Amino acid sequence: MPTLILVRHGRSTANTEGLLAGWTPGVALDERGAAQAAALPGRLAELPLAEIVTSPLQRCQETIRPLLDARPGLSRHTDERIGECHYGDWSGRKLAELKDEPLMEVVQAHPSAAAFPGGESMRAMQTRAAEAVREWNARVERDHGADAVYLMCSHGDIIKSLIADALGLHLDLFQRISVEPCSITAIRYTRLRPFLVRLGDTGDFTSLVPREEPPAGEAEVGGGAGAP
């Protein structure tokens, strides 16, 4: 079965403003995010990509544009199932405000029980994304062969949930995974099990440099802004 390259979108204006964007329209890449997207064709130059599948949201579309420009013959498909989690009434709100919501504790510690007011549950988010991957695996293998490599551009929580699915981790453990903006994760699927062969690779170790204020023990809902 194919190898899936998962790319989180580049850093967005919502990331830098500390907002939980969700499906809020008009969330674009910021200057750094645009630079991350521009570097993507070079980082993936050795890979013979068969297809590109992307979330419909603007920040993902902008992230893959330089890659499509560099490979004009590459097919692009949009799939809503790998769009961001529907955060409902939380969409567009400051993460600093949301941290005091009682639901946030559930999102952090027991995400399989978390459902966002006016939105969807985290279980439903993972289920739709995993179903999309399995359907695209079959389609890519049918059209391009079992050794094909294809790319999906998606969002932090979606990618983390797909990694958990590939590793056989319960969704309640997925907050232990971190994927920075424009990071690359690779999962090689086989008939019996997937293999995680890259995780959150940015080629940049800046985020590992000790900070004046140590990072909090909680996961960043939506994925965070990455290295400062």
Side-chain angles (χ1 to χ4, degrees), residues 198-211:
R198 291 289 188 280
L199 173 60
D201 188 347
T202 63
D204 179 2
F205 295 99
T206 308
S207 64
L208 302 180
V209 175
R211 305 181 190 179

Side-chain angles (χ1 to χ4, degrees), residues 17-20 90 92-99:
E17 292 170 10
L19 300 176
L20 187 62
W90 281 25
R93 291 182 60 188
K94 287 273 190 183
L95 285 163
E97 298 172 0
L98 292 170
K99 68 181 179 62

Side-chain angles (χ1 to χ4, degrees), residues 170-220:
H170 196 283
L171 184 61
D172 285 345
L173 301 178
F174 100 127
Q175 297 290 28
R176 302 183 183 194
I177 300 168
S178 175
V179 289
E180 293 198 3
C182 225
S183 63
I184 294 172
T185 293
I187 301 171
R188 181 174 294 125
Y189 288 86
T190 73
R191 186 173 67 87
L192 296 180
R193 64 183 62 85
F195 293 89
L196 179 66
V197 293
R198 291 289 188 280
L199 173 60
D201 188 347
T202 63
D204 179 2
F205 295 99
T206 308
S207 64
L208 302 180
V209 175
R211 305 181 190 179
E212 291 184 10
E213 292 186 12
E218 293 189 342
E220 296 183 86

Side-chain angles (χ1 to χ4, degrees), residues 36-52:
Q36 290 171 332
L40 200 55
R43 293 170 64 197
L44 297 172
E46 300 298 320
L47 291 181
L49 297 175
E51 307 271 0
I52 286 183

Side-chain angles (χ1 to χ4, degrees), residues 23 53-56 77-83 132 135-136 152:
W23 284 69
V53 186
T54 180
S55 157
H77 310 272
T78 298
D79 194 326
E80 292 195 356
R81 293 174 297 177
I82 62 166
E135 288 181 20
W136 278 104
M152 281 186 168

